[in-house]
Amino acid sequence: MADQNFTDAIMLLRADHDEVKDLFDQFEDTDDGDEKRRLAEKICNELKIHSLIEEEIFYPAFRGVLEDDMLDEAVVEHDGAKLLINDIMDGVQANDSVFEAKVKVLSEQIEHHIEEEEKPHEGMFAKCRDTDVDLKALLEPMLRRKAELSKQAESEGLPPAEMSEVQPEAAH
Ligand SMILES: [Fe+2]
Ligand SMILES: [Fe+2]
C-alpha cells in the first residue's frame, strides 16, 4: 500500500477510483456466482473505506475553501451509494441474486461520482489543486486511516456504512 509511492492525497484517491472501476469490470465479466459475491463484497468494502477517508479527512480540509455546494453534493452522492452498499451486503449474505442488479446500479452511480471528482478543470480535484491546501500533508493521515480500516475489514469486517448528515448551512 504505502509503497505505491503516491505523491499526494489526490493521487491516492484516484488510484482508489481506478481500483474500484477495475473491480466493477471484473464483476461484469464473470458468470461465476461465488466470484460475483466475493467481488461485490470487495467493492463494498473498498467503497466504504474510500468514502470514509474522503469524509473524515479529505473533504473537511476543503470546507471554507471550496464552495459548500460542491462538498455537500459529494456527501449526498456518497449517502446514495451507501444505501445500495448496505443493501448489497445484505443480499450477498442472504444469497439473494438480486444483489447483482444492485451492483450494476451502484457502478453507474459511482462512475458519475468519480467523474464529478476527476473532471478536468471544473471537477472537485481540479478545484482542490487550485487552492493552497497542502495535498502532500493530507496524504499521510489518509494512508494511515486507510490501512487501519483495511485491517479491520480483514479481521472483524466493517460495520454497515453510516449516512453522513450534511449539516444545514450555518448562518453566515
Ligand atoms: Fe472519490
Ligand atoms: Fe467521493
Side-chain angles (χ1 to χ4, degrees):
M1 240 309 306
D3 56 9
Q4 282 186 32
N5 289 325
F6 301 113
T7 46
D8 68 29
I10 288 178
M11 300 286 287
L12 167 65
L13 295 176
R14 292 181 80 110
D16 278 359
H17 292 173
D18 290 346
E19 191 186 343
V20 85
K21 280 197 265 185
D22 184 57
L23 289 168
F24 278 123
D25 287 344
Q26 290 180 42
F27 184 91
E28 194 63 26
D29 289 346
T30 183
D31 292 324
D32 179 329
D34 287 342
E35 182 65 356
K36 275 198 188 291
R37 264 191 296 281
R38 189 191 70 79
L39 285 164
E41 220 161 359
K42 181 142 177 65
I43 287 166
C44 289
N45 277 331
E46 293 300 324
L47 288 174
K48 280 183 196 175
I49 295 169
H50 181 80
S51 57
L52 281 170
I53 63 173
E54 284 188 338
E55 288 167 21
E56 290 177 356
I57 304 165
F58 190 80
Y59 294 170
F62 293 94
R63 275 286 168 199
V65 180
L66 293 185
E67 283 173 25
D68 276 333
D69 283 359
M70 180 172 251
L71 294 163
D72 291 348
E73 274 171 39
V75 172
V76 171
E77 287 184 359
H78 280 198
D79 278 355
K82 286 175 196 172
L83 290 174
L84 269 174
I85 287 169
N86 291 339
D87 228 25
I88 289 165
M89 288 300 283
D90 288 346
V92 167
Q93 267 139 31
N95 218 347
D96 170 1
S97 64
V98 81
F99 83 88
E100 293 181 20
K102 291 176 180 166
V103 172
K104 178 77 192 146
V105 175
L106 179 65
S107 79
E108 288 160 1
Q109 284 190 6
I110 296 299
E111 198 180 322
H112 166 82
H113 182 71
I114 289 176
E115 173 75 10
E116 296 282 308
E117 291 185 338
E118 293 193 358
K119 213 171 357 181
H121 312 300
E122 75 265 35
M124 184 195 283
F125 292 169
K127 301 251 188 233
C128 291
R129 286 213 182 276
D130 279 342
T131 70
D132 292 332
V133 173
D134 188 344
L135 292 165
K136 290 190 199 315
L138 284 177
L139 177 63
E140 195 49 42
M142 286 167 63
L143 282 172
R144 218 179 307 126
R145 184 68 175 129
K146 185 174 174 179
E148 182 181 274
L149 288 163
S150 305
K151 210 167 126 195
Q152 191 187 343
E154 276 165 38
S155 53
E156 76 249 44
L158 295 171
E162 266 178 58
M163 298 302 129
S164 45
E165 284 143 52
V166 173
Q167 297 303 315
E169 211 162 312
H172 56 193

